[in-house]
Amino acid sequence: MTVIDDIRGQTFAALRGPNFRRYIGGQAISLVGTWMQTIAQSWLVLQLTGSATAIGIVLALQTVPMLILGPYGGVIADRTDKRRLMIGLQSLMGVQALVLGLLVVTGNVELWHVYVLAVLLGLNQCFENPARQSFMLEMVGPDDLRNAVSLQSVLASCSRMIGPAVAGIVIAAGGIGLCFLLNAASFVAVVTSLLTLDVSKLVPSPPAARARGQLREGLAYVRRTPDLAVPLLMMALVGCLAFEFQVVLPVLADQTFDAGAEAYGLLTAAMGAGSVVGGLVVATWGHTGTKPLVLTALAFGVAMAVAAASPTMPILVATMVVVGALSVTFTSTTNSTLQLTAAPTMRGRVMALWSVAFLGSTAIGGPIAGWVCEQGGGRAGLLLGAGACLVAAAMGAAVMRRRAASELTPAR
């Protein structure tokens, strides 16, 4: 089979399903709005305070609920109709963006407003994210799951390129507040897509019966399943310290290279471009399991170290393309590995822990990255992430070696 045949038959396999096409169309619009808000929020906080630590605090407040309540969000996802839960929560996220936009355009926004709304958004996400992650399998089935997850990552990466570029234009033309208002409007698309899915084509997981101790049950299940525990631990370390680009990149652009908001948008878009390439590669030829995760984490760490050493902005932009490709490869591989390994009645709780590891860990990593950037600059923030990736790779490799040694040891 040729490369062209692989791309034709495998790269976009999940799009054969009309439900996934409808869903991904709504997500395409909403994710552009989300990235517009992400850029606008970081720039708003930097304008209000001039502090990288303040950006980290906002991200931490947005992710603390995930860190604390995320596992319980997985319990709710396992118990309920995930599509209906997503419809309600996505609607509330649109309201949050609308309120923040109105505060900015009326000139009444203060830093504490951003803090409070970040907490409310985080509360929403700790229930919406595990439902959305585990809903993917119900929509496309196990055969197309890895492909669908990778295509979702590609979409997010395209949005990372388009959203910041649009945000830069909107901020220049209409101000920061307009980014938030446009993001609020974008949620109409994703809610409409969920409302119009053909529910007869969905294959919902059997709901877990309501019972006491379900959160402890999920944690115990992961603890006794190494194929789940190891990827989650690797994701927690990398998610905590390497995925703090919303803190590190504004400092690199504004303070390290003295290049302004346009350079911040360019760096973010460069990561998005790389993520598209990485996501398409994973969609076509990707694998699941601990070994691919170890190799990807190792390469991710090396790429971040090279980015930290970049002497000029053009070299940094080029390197961030590679960083973006490896970042989406790592997250997509982890996501698919966990979903395909987890039992159906546990999938919501497992993916809630993935959300805690990926998103909730920012509550810890965001302020750390902000402090490191204030002490050592944006390059130090990248080196912090590089170290985390290399430690995660070493941890996964150690587990693989122990497993191989135990398999070679004869039974007594």
Side-chain angles (χ1 to χ4, degrees):
M1 181 176 287
T2 66
V3 171
I4 298 299
D5 290 333
D6 278 348
I7 293 174
R8 185 181 299 137
Q10 300 178 39
T11 305
F12 303 103
L15 289 173
R16 290 192 293 259
N19 271 346
F20 185 70
R21 290 199 302 271
R22 186 173 290 115
Y23 170 82
I24 211 76
Q27 287 285 313
I29 297 172
S30 181
L31 285 172
V32 170
T34 297
W35 270 105
M36 290 175 64
Q37 172 154 328
T38 297
I39 296 296
Q41 179 174 278
S42 294
W43 207 250
L44 172 64
V45 173
L46 199 60
Q47 283 190 345
L48 290 173
T49 66
S51 169
T53 299
I55 300 175
I57 290 173
V58 171
L59 294 176
L61 291 173
Q62 191 169 308
T63 51
V64 159
M66 180 69 74
L67 187 65
I68 298 173
L69 296 175
Y72 186 70
V75 173
I76 299 301
D78 281 334
R79 288 178 180 173
T80 60
D81 184 317
K82 299 176 182 62
R83 184 182 70 95
R84 292 181 180 178
L85 182 62
M86 290 165 61
I87 289 170
L89 294 175
Q90 290 275 354
S91 300
L92 290 175
M93 290 167 73
V95 172
Q96 183 269 351
L98 177 62
V99 171
L100 184 54
L102 291 175
L103 285 171
V104 175
V105 297
T106 58
N108 294 315
V109 69
E110 298 180 19
L111 185 61
W112 73 267
H113 294 143
V114 183
Y115 285 168
V116 170
L117 289 169
V119 171
L120 293 177
L121 180 60
L123 285 170
N124 189 308
Q125 288 177 331
C126 73
F127 293 94
E128 191 273 341
N129 201 282
R132 174 162 44 85
Q133 296 295 335
S134 52
F135 179 69
M136 191 75 73
L137 184 60
E138 299 183 4
M139 188 165 46
V140 302
D143 292 341
D144 287 333
L145 175 64
R146 178 177 55 80
N147 183 261
V149 170
S150 299
L151 290 178
Q152 173 78 11
S153 298
V154 169
L155 176 62
S157 302
C158 290
S159 303
R160 185 185 293 172
M161 290 188 295
I162 298 170
V166 175
I169 296 171
V170 170
I171 290 172
I176 293 175
L178 187 55
C179 288
F180 299 117
L181 296 178
L182 289 174
N183 181 42
S186 74
F187 281 99
V188 174
V190 70
V191 171
T192 300
S193 72
L194 290 168
L195 286 170
T196 56
L197 292 180
D198 183 354
V199 294
S200 68
K201 303 289 187 182
L202 301 178
V203 185
S205 301
R210 189 181 185 89
R212 297 182 63 180
Q214 288 179 311
L215 178 55
R216 291 193 301 273
E217 180 187 16
L219 294 172
Y221 172 68
V222 169
R223 190 166 53 248
R224 65 176 181 264
T225 311
D227 288 340
L228 296 173
V230 173
L232 280 170
L233 287 173
M234 293 177 67
M235 186 73 255
L237 182 57
V238 174
C240 181
L241 299 176
F243 277 91
E244 306 305 335
F245 298 110
Q246 294 175 61
V247 178
V248 176
L249 294 187
V251 179
L252 276 171
D254 189 51
Q255 298 176 12
T256 304
F257 287 94
D258 194 25
E262 295 81 3
Y264 173 37
L266 181 61
L267 290 173
T268 306
M271 282 195 67
S275 299
V276 171
V277 175
L280 290 174
V281 169
V282 174
T284 309
W285 298 291
H287 299 280
T288 57
T290 304
K291 184 177 180 180
L293 284 176
V294 169
L295 294 175
T296 304
L298 177 61
F300 192 11
V302 171
M304 289 192 71
V306 172
S310 298
T312 65
M313 179 59 70
I315 293 176
L316 177 61
V317 170
T319 308
M320 293 309 292
V321 173
V322 180
V323 170
L326 292 167
S327 70
V328 78
T329 301
F330 183 80
T331 54
S332 296
T333 304
T334 308
N335 188 307
S336 300
T337 297
L338 293 173
Q339 291 214 51
L340 292 173
T341 303
T345 56
M346 290 288 184
R347 191 169 294 115
R349 278 164 280 186
V350 170
M351 296 315 296
L353 293 175
W354 181 86
S355 299
V356 171
F358 183 32
L359 301 174
S361 59
T362 298
I364 299 170
I368 293 174
W371 181 83
V372 168
C373 287
E374 287 203 342
Q375 299 303 311
R379 297 183 191 277
L382 287 176
L383 287 174
L384 176 69
C389 292
L390 296 177
V391 171
M395 180 177 64
V399 171
M400 290 172 58
R401 284 195 299 269
R402 284 199 299 269
R403 181 180 296 177
S406 65
E407 290 174 353
L408 291 174
T409 302
R412 296 189 179 186

